[in-house]
Structure formats: structure tokens, C-alpha cells
Amino acid sequence: MEIKYLGHSAFEIETGGKKILIDPFLVAVPDYKPERIYDIFVTHAHSDHLGSAIEISKQTGAPITTIFELANYCAKKGAKVNGINLGSSLSYSWGKASAVPAFHSSSTPDGMYGGCPCGYVFEIDGQVLYHAGDTSLSSEMQLIGDFYRPDIVMLPIGGTYTMDIEQAVKAAELLGASEVIPMHYNTFEAINVDIGDFERQIREIGKIPRVLKINA
Ligand code: NI
Ligand code: MN
């Protein structure tokens, strides 16, 4: 399994020649070309997460898996969708995904109710990956840690709209994963952080900070 960071909270994950996209807001990678995309996951309706999901679905035929209300919105705009809700565990040709709670809000770029926000737990190639979406720190993370046993977690660290570094460090403890990938930081001023601070604090709790370079 290969994890590529496309900036903000966007990732491309590849396994066995198949790729999935998570929260494809792609302003940091204008030259990105979606190829061999099998599935697209969107955590909530805010434009910095929905991003180019609808366009990429129409272009590639890959369905968008997302919360029911947002899935309906995407379907109306011509995307293929899998409407899900919290508690859903879906099997795919490349692995499995489960929708888990995120504490945030969710409205579409044109102001429609987007359903509840979520995070995703992916099981791919025997590894468990958790993408938190936009969320506050919450005790749900203890349960996600106990139940899914994630190996790698992707956590927002930028503050203002989500957890900040200090809260993400506590989240990493609750989740119990060995590797922590930071996201949702340094895209714009309100979420600027010192990434060295994150690396130091994650090492202090005995975990591996995995700061990925943005790479199309
Ligand atoms: Ni958001
Ligand atoms: Mn966001």
C-alpha cells in the first residue's frame, strides 16, 4: 500500500494497481491527473473536502462514498455515489472501509445541509488506516482505537476549525496507532502551525510522526 499526500486533507492510496482518493481538494497539486481511481471518499460537504470529487467521479466513473445527504447532493450533480451513514462498513475490491463519527459541521458549497460529518477506517493489505476528516478531539477515538486497532492515523492539526497539535497528540494516544500523519495545516493562515512542534510532541509519546511531502 502506498500513501500519497495531495495537500490539505487529500490523499491518494494505491494498492495492487488500484487507487482510492480521500477528500480530493486539489489546489496544492494543479497538475494531478486522476488515473485508475476505483473509489472516492468524502468526509463532509465543506468545499475544502468535497473538492473535485464530483468532477473526478464524472470523469473516471469512480463512485463517491459519503454520508447519505451529501451522496444525494453529489448524485444530483451527476456523480456516481454510495450513500452511507455512521456504522456503515463496506467491502470493496481493494479492501474495506467503515464510517466513524467526526465532531464538526457539514454544509455544501451552496449552503445545503450536508448530513453529519464522518471519518473513515480503511483496511487495506492487512493494514488499518484511520482518516479523521475534520473533527475535534473526542472520546470516540478511544473506541476507534480499541475496536479497529489502527496502525496509521491521519489527523487534522491546524486548529481553528479542528483539533490543534496538542489535541491531535492526545488523539494519537487514544487511538494507539504507531504512525501519525498530519493533515489540515498550513493550507491557509488560520491553520498555520510549526510542523517541527508536531514532530517533537508525537515522538515524545513514543510514536512516529510521518510528515508527508505534497506530491502529485
Ligand atoms: Ni470542514
Ligand atoms: Mn476542513
Side-chain angles (χ1 to χ4, degrees):
M1 176 182 61
E2 203 181 303
I3 302 172
K4 201 187 253 191
Y5 185 40
L6 304 177
H8 204 54
S9 295
F11 293 87
E12 184 198 80
I13 296 167
E14 176 164 8
T15 178
K18 298 177 178 180
K19 295 177 178 180
I20 67 168
L21 281 173
I22 311 166
D23 283 356
F25 173 66
L26 304 175
V27 292
V29 287
D31 296 330
Y32 176 75
K33 298 228 173 2
E35 280 163 3
R36 289 178 283 126
I37 305 297
Y38 278 64
D39 288 282
I40 303 162
F41 290 83
V42 177
T43 59
H44 65 292
H46 290 155
S47 56
D48 58 319
H49 298 261
L50 180 58
S52 306
I54 293 167
E55 293 76 11
I56 294 172
S57 172
K58 289 205 262 190
Q59 190 185 327
T60 63
I64 300 171
T65 297
T66 193
I67 292 289
F68 178 75
E69 287 82 359
L70 180 55
N72 287 347
Y73 174 87
C74 294
K76 273 195 197 127
K77 306 250 177 208
K80 271 178 75 177
V81 299
N82 285 318
I84 55 148
N85 217 314
L86 300 180
S88 290
S89 280
L90 299 179
S91 291
Y92 299 84
S93 62
W94 44 264
K96 191 175 166 191
S98 305
V100 296
F103 289 82
H104 193 65
S105 60
S106 182
S107 53
T108 64
D110 47 1
M112 309 273 289
Y113 171 59
C116 62
C118 71
Y120 292 102
V121 176
F122 298 97
E123 292 165 55
I124 305 172
D125 294 342
Q127 287 220 291
V128 180
L129 223 77
Y130 166 56
H131 184 294
D134 277 0
T135 185
S136 70
L137 175 61
S138 92
S139 55
E140 289 295 329
M141 289 164 180
Q142 175 103 55
L143 182 60
I144 293 168
D146 287 349
F147 190 74
Y148 295 102
R149 308 247 161 226
D151 302 293
I152 303 170
V153 295
M154 296 144 157
L155 301 178
I157 66 162
T160 308
Y161 307 109
T162 68
M163 294 189 281
D164 60 15
I165 290 175
E166 198 186 349
Q167 293 165 353
V169 169
K170 181 63 191 175
E173 277 186 329
L174 294 177
L175 289 159
S178 56
E179 282 183 41
V180 186
I181 298 175
M183 63 181 188
H184 214 270
Y185 69 99
N186 291 3
T187 318
F188 40 86
E189 207 180 325
I191 59 172
N192 279 355
V193 303
D194 175 353
I195 198 63
D197 234 30
F198 165 81
E199 292 181 286
R200 184 177 49 74
Q201 291 190 45
I202 289 292
R203 279 198 201 97
E204 272 171 16
I205 59 164
K207 299 187 184 299
I208 303 162
R210 192 161 153 197
V211 178
L212 301 181
K213 278 211 187 87
I214 297 172
N215 174 10

